[in-house]
């Protein structure tokens, strides 16, 4: 593992054994382990327990899950889609992928459905990687523009990007969404430094983004989620770049809990706040994100406990709160479109407005 | 330990052994341990390692530290003040307490200085507890007003308060600052529920505030620091109440890192954001808090590692980030006065404006 881009995959279909393989993201950064996924139940378990996570990736995993279900029972299309649809509620890619599979397979005779599903899932994986690569190119041009303006104002010739959660190649078919422009910049010799929000409660920043960036040698600094406002007040952030789990027809963006707070700080300090997303994460059926997007609530022990490596190299879970403490654990929040500087998609950069979303729709 | 208020002390002078005693806050909530502090070095160590923390409390501890230094060496006044002043940079109470001691003791003959310092420190402790109790009464009236307005609008008859870090009796001479109105409300039979930010990196919310509130039976729910914006967007927070480590003559408020982000979310959702502070935390010398207040930077392992209790009941430190990850760890941020609804002091509620601060000054 040495560079990002087309070399890096968090999920692939192993033709030699005819099974799906995934990196188990719950064990990173302490343990790099590849899991074989061979049944619908294993695919559901991997999504529910976040062995795979990130909006694009769970859509792709669900697509392969449909294949695995049909391989074992060619008549299981609707049951498989129903089971996979229930695994996580917020990211729209899951529904998008399952609808695409269901629509495409319903007219295929049952004996051919498993292989047709595999082809569709593989296409989806390749398309997502290509979309993310395109997001990277589009975003690279934007980063170069922001950096040029900074240098013209007399600033240091390095662009400081703040990101929240993990929207890298681990979260997608390849490249990532928010991290794709960063990888493209780093490969193009643009000097980039990333502020990595640790992203409580599951620490995807500390455990996944920091690990990803280290693999590719991209300079980065880990911070607590509380720190971004202070950094922005002091001119230490040039642009915020995050992913999205669902984007509405008005440009509201649902992403990992805490994203909204960073968007507020960026707005207050006149720092651009961009969201990178493949168009598959847009839900044209919804308008008001705060009111309409279902927000997943997760287990209390994600907040009351923290997992990590002890001095002896053993992975342990420790309690940080008094026993019995009541916990609330919403997984996502919604950033209103008014706080979003633009949407970086595989089709270009669009304003987070009704018109901007209509323009994106015209490309699809 | 069963109720907050005048019963609860985190620091006291034990006359029977003529030594200072403190609750070691680094071991809470897992282990309740009382430490004896008998030398200047022990007092400095307790502040640096945050066995005592919270702006009012570190001022009080420093005052007792001067006594301990003089007990061992009656000529050590200026060295003791210099050593204690260096322990932590952000909270102004430390400087305030040391100036008060130095000014008061310089004219006292050396043989009487230790006992005079003890008397001054004891007075300071009692005054802080009294100020915090008064803050509680002032804040209680405010909470009752906010709750009445909520009930009139048809809301549930419970006031949901969001707080950040720990500004309870553990952080002060008694009662607390932000928590004092909550304790007074709970004791007065007002239905209050507290959203407790865990407060990374040191988790003072999860480890201290949750513990304090549980001791007194105040209903509370632990959340990650990322969650407050979402709760505010959905009407689940009626008021934010935090403490302050330093407040400027214009009303800018320096408090635990992340406070600014909550203030932005409160402002964006038209939720009142109040800061509770004894007037000893006001620095009338400073105006622009963002530019002028020195922000402490602390050790990287506070971010890269988390301490907690494992399944076997052993306190362990675990790594959450890849080894060698670069970390930045600012301890505080500054909330501009424009985001602060008011300052709750022992003299009443004042606007966070130059005039409001002048009005406070006229009381001192």
């Amino acid at each position: 593992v040495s560079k990002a881009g087309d070399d890096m995959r968090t999920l692939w279909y192993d033709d030699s054994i005819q099974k799906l393989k995934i990196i188990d993201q719950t064990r990173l950064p302490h343990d790099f382990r590849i899991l074989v996924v061979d049944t619908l139940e294993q695919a559901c378990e991997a999504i529910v327990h976040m062995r795979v996570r990130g909006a694009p990736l769970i859509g792709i995993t669900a697509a392969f899950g449909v294949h695995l279900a049909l391989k074992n029972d060619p008549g299981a299309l609707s049951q498989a889609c129903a089971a996979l649809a229930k695994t996580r509620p917020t990211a729209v890619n899951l529904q998008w992928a399952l609808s695409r599979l269901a629509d495409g397979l319903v007219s295929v005779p049952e004996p051919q459905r498993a292989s047709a599903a595999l082809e569709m899932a593989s296409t989806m994986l390749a398309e997502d990687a290509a979309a993310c690569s395109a997001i990277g190119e589009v975003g690279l041009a934007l980063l170069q523009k922001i950096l040029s303006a900074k240098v013209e104002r007399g600033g240091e010739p390095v662009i400081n990007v703040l990101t929240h959660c993990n929207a890298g190649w681990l979260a997608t078919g390849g490249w990532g969404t928010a991290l794709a422009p960063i990888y493209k910049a780093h490969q193009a010799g643009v000097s980039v430094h990333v502020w990595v929000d640790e992203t409580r409660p599951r620490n995807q920043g500390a455990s996944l983004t920091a690990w990803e960036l280290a693999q590719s040698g991209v300079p980065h600094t880990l911070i607590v989620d509380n720190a971004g406002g202070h950094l922005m007040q002091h001119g230490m952030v040039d642009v915020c770049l995050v992913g999205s789990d669902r984007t509405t027809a008005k440009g509201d963006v649902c992403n990992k809990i805490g994203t909204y707070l960073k968007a507020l700080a960026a707005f207050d300090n006149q720092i651009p706040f961009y969201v990178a997303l493949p168009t598959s994460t847009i839900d044209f059926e919804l308008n008001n994100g705060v009111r309409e997007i279902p927000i997943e609530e997760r287990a209390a022990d994600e907040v009351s406990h923290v997992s990590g490596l002890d001095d002896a190299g053993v992975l342990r879970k420790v309690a940080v709160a008094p026993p019995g403490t009541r916990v609330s654990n919403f997984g996502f929040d919604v950033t209103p479109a008014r706080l979003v500087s633009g949407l970086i998609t595989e089709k270009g950069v669009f304003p987070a407005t009704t018109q901007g979303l209509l323009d994106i729709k015209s490309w699809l």
Side-chain angles (χ1 to χ4, degrees), chain A residues 19-22 35-52 61 64-65 68-69 71-72 84 87:
Chain A
K19 288 171 184 171
L20 186 66
K21 285 187 174 170
I22 61 170
L35 293 182
V36 172
V37 178
D38 193 34
T39 65
L40 171 67
E41 291 67 32
Q42 287 171 351
C44 289
E45 194 273 350
I47 299 172
V48 167
H49 288 100
M50 297 178 67
R51 303 189 195 286
V52 288
T61 306
F64 281 102
L68 297 173
K71 194 173 72 165
N72 294 328
L84 287 158
T87 50

Side-chain angles (χ1 to χ4, degrees), chain A residues 101-152:
Chain A
L101 270 277
D103 292 352
L105 294 173
V106 71
S107 58
V108 175
E110 284 193 3
Q112 281 102 61
R113 278 189 187 171
S115 63
L118 178 59
E119 204 180 304
M120 289 184 76
S122 300
T123 300
M124 211 175 271
L125 171 60
E127 283 178 359
D128 189 65
C132 288
S133 178
I135 287 169
E137 298 294 341
V138 169
L140 167 60
L142 188 69
L143 293 185
Q144 285 173 317
K145 215 168 94 180
I146 293 169
L147 180 55
S148 295
K150 179 185 180 184
V151 170
E152 269 176 37

Side-chain angles (χ1 to χ4, degrees), chain A residues 32-33 74 83 140 189 192 198 201 278:
Chain A
F32 185 88
R33 203 174 287 194
L140 167 60
V192 57
E198 66 171 349

Side-chain angles (χ1 to χ4, degrees), chain A residues 247-326:
Chain A
T247 304
T248 74
K250 285 193 167 167
D252 292 344
V253 171
C254 183
N255 191 46
K256 184 57 51 195
I257 191 87
T259 301
Y260 167 52
L261 297 171
K262 295 302 139 61
L264 286 167
F267 191 83
D268 199 46
N269 293 284
Q270 299 169 281
I271 291 165
F273 185 94
Y274 282 93
V275 181
L277 58 130
T279 54
S280 58
T281 67
I282 301 172
D283 185 345
F284 289 102
E285 305 294 311
L286 299 188
N287 285 298
N288 185 317
V290 173
R291 289 202 202 141
E292 297 175 56
I293 297 175
I295 302 296
E296 177 175 13
E297 288 189 73
R298 297 187 57 87
D301 73 344
E302 291 187 354
V303 176
S304 60
H305 291 68
V306 172
S307 287
L309 218 56
D310 74 9
D311 285 345
V314 179
L315 200 57
R316 286 186 192 274
K317 200 176 195 180
V318 296
V320 293
T325 300
R326 190 175 127 180

Side-chain angles (χ1 to χ4, degrees), chain A residues 53 58 101 106 117 132 142 144 153 163 179-180 187 208 232 278 313 329 345 349:
Chain A
R53 25 65 54 200
I58 63 179
L101 270 277
V106 71
C132 288
L142 188 69
Q144 285 173 317
R153 288 192 312 270
T163 193
L179 296 193
Q187 289 177 13
L208 304 179
M232 293 190 225
N329 184 16
T345 76
V349 182

